[in-house]
Amino acid sequence: MTKNTISAIVPVYNEGENLMELYDRLKTTLKSISEKHQIIFVNDGSKDDSLIKILSIAEEDSKVFYLNLSRNFGHQIAVSAGLEYCDAECTVIIDADLQDPPELIEQLYKKHKEGYDVVYAKRKKREGESFLKKLTAKFYYRLLKRWVSFDIPLDAGDFRLISRKVVGAINKMPEQNKFLRAQIAWLGFKQTHVLFDRETRKHGKSGYSYGKMLRLAFDGITGFSDKPLLFVSRLGFLISIFSFLLIIYAVFSHYILKVTITGWTSLLISTAFIGGIQLLSIGVIGEYISRINSNVKGRPLYILDSTNIPSEEDKKA
């Protein structure tokens, strides 16, 4: 039986300037919902004073817990670590950058009490983000929605409330390449959304570089769709047909029309084109093989340096 009504998981990476305000707002909101609440900060290898501030907050508030990872394992793994340790009827995932307002949790919780297992925050506006980031995100999530076999919400990040049974189901997913918003959608539990305007970041810089976002995008596609493999195989089939027809035309031209096709240009263009397709195909196949390799190794998802959450042995003692 769960000890708390609601818990909040906060992945933290170099968010020292935001933590105190986030804690104050988050604490007020959770307390208005229930006295039985907990906050779990997951320090994902921060290089600033984030850990010091988290430890200070935890010393003052018995409802605040922390997981200090041994290094930076990434946002999705940090959240996954928090999900393994949370103990509540429902859990909220919220970033520490204050772009997602903690006050919205009350609305998420009200929807949850209506019988929904997943209540995600859907963005109406995204302040403080570049046009390129908005455009690429919009294109990617609509492409992913078309390529997967289940319904994945658009214009929604990881800010959401999930029930205890959703947390339990996610914790049973052993894959190393985490993409939680798709994993939660794949489960198929009853879900709905609450609209909100996403605010601009108050302090610091986002830890999500374009490289990390591209890696997350690949994880989403290769983890939940085999369409890239189908695309590559069909492309190879079409190029084979085209090449075969070109060979027939060359033979026909030489022996019937008495015109021999010559020229280095056509040879170089065709070679470069086919070489590019081959590299693309190898790259796509390599992404899937890389996922298999990561999971076969059997390494732990993360390494925990320290925590104030008592272990099962401590609880029994």
Side-chain angles (χ1 to χ4, degrees):
M1 186 175 179
T2 55
K3 188 170 73 172
N4 298 289
T5 301
I6 186 169
S7 65
I9 294 172
V10 188
V12 178
Y13 179 67
N14 296 342
E15 298 287 358
E17 293 179 291
N18 296 317
L19 281 175
M20 294 310 297
E21 181 182 345
L22 171 69
Y23 165 69
D24 290 337
R25 293 169 63 183
L26 192 56
K27 179 73 175 179
T28 301
T29 302
L30 295 179
K31 196 172 181 179
S32 69
I33 294 173
S34 173
E35 286 291 339
K36 294 182 178 180
H37 64 267
Q38 66 175 180
I39 301 173
I40 300 177
F41 289 103
V42 185
N43 181 47
D44 189 26
S46 297
K47 294 178 173 61
D48 63 354
D49 61 347
S50 293
L51 179 60
I52 295 173
K53 290 187 176 180
I54 290 171
L55 293 175
S56 175
I57 294 170
E59 284 181 6
E60 298 293 327
D61 190 342
S62 62
K63 296 184 184 297
V64 173
F65 301 91
Y66 68 88
L67 298 171
N68 181 35
L69 306 188
S70 62
R71 64 170 176 84
N72 178 247
F73 285 89
H75 179 272
Q76 299 292 289
I77 291 179
V79 175
S80 299
L83 291 175
E84 289 187 12
Y85 281 87
C86 68
D87 176 28
E89 295 172 12
C90 61
T91 299
V92 173
I93 302 168
I94 183 170
D95 289 340
D97 55 14
L98 292 174
Q99 288 188 276
D100 300 325
E103 294 76 16
L104 192 68
I105 295 173
E106 288 189 66
Q107 295 184 45
L108 300 180
Y109 184 73
K110 287 178 181 177
K111 283 289 184 183
H112 165 64
K113 296 306 288 183
E114 293 175 11
Y116 293 98
D117 289 298
V118 180
V119 187
Y120 57 89
K122 186 173 183 178
R123 306 162 183 143
K124 288 190 292 183
K125 295 180 181 178
R126 300 178 66 170
E127 300 293 339
E129 294 183 0
S130 67
F131 173 77
L132 178 61
K133 186 173 181 179
K134 292 177 184 177
L135 181 65
T136 52
K138 188 173 184 178
F139 171 76
Y140 168 71
Y141 283 108
R142 279 152 182 79
L143 176 66
L144 182 62
K145 188 179 178 71
R146 289 177 62 89
W147 278 8
V148 298
S149 59
F150 53 91
D151 186 35
I152 185 167
L154 299 174
D155 304 316
D158 290 309
F159 183 28
R160 62 190 62 206
L161 181 149
I162 54 179
S163 68
R164 184 65 194 171
K165 65 181 178 182
V166 175
V167 173
I170 293 172
N171 288 339
K172 292 178 181 177
M173 295 183 177
E175 60 257 44
Q176 296 280 320
N177 306 84
K178 296 290 186 179
F179 189 51
L180 291 171
R181 62 197 73 168
Q183 287 179 254
I184 293 170
W186 178 86
L187 292 173
F189 290 114
K190 190 178 180 182
Q191 62 180 332
T192 188
H193 68 270
V194 171
L195 292 171
F196 81 110
D197 293 327
R198 196 171 200 230
E199 301 172 10
T200 186
R201 169 182 278 272
K202 288 196 175 184
H203 305 285
K205 297 190 301 181
S206 172
Y208 255 121
S209 63
Y210 281 105
K212 288 183 179 179
M213 287 191 292
L214 186 62
R215 178 69 263 170
L216 185 65
F218 275 121
D219 286 340
I221 291 174
T222 56
F224 295 91
S225 174
D226 60 357
K227 291 292 177 66
L229 289 175
L230 293 173
F231 170 76
V232 165
S233 62
R234 289 169 182 171
L235 186 61
F237 179 71
L238 290 174
I239 291 175
S240 297
I241 293 176
F242 175 75
S243 301
F244 180 69
L245 293 175
L246 193 61
I247 291 171
I248 292 177
Y249 172 72
V251 172
F252 178 80
S253 229
H254 180 75
Y255 289 105
I256 306 301
L257 301 179
K258 303 299 181 182
V259 176
T260 302
I261 299 175
T262 59
W264 286 102
T265 303
S266 59
L267 179 62
L268 287 173
I269 290 173
S270 60
T271 302
F273 176 70
I274 293 173
I277 294 299
Q278 287 175 332
L279 289 175
L280 172 66
S281 304
I282 292 170
V284 170
I285 296 169
E287 279 294 322
Y288 284 90
I289 294 174
S290 175
R291 292 182 66 89
I292 296 170
N293 182 54
S294 296
N295 287 290
V296 165
K297 288 176 184 175
R299 292 175 183 168
L301 194 61
Y302 59 89
I303 300 298
L304 190 62
D305 187 329
S306 58
T307 182
N308 65 340
I309 301 177
S311 64
E312 291 301 321
E313 290 77 12
D314 294 334
K315 290 178 182 178
K316 293 176 182 178

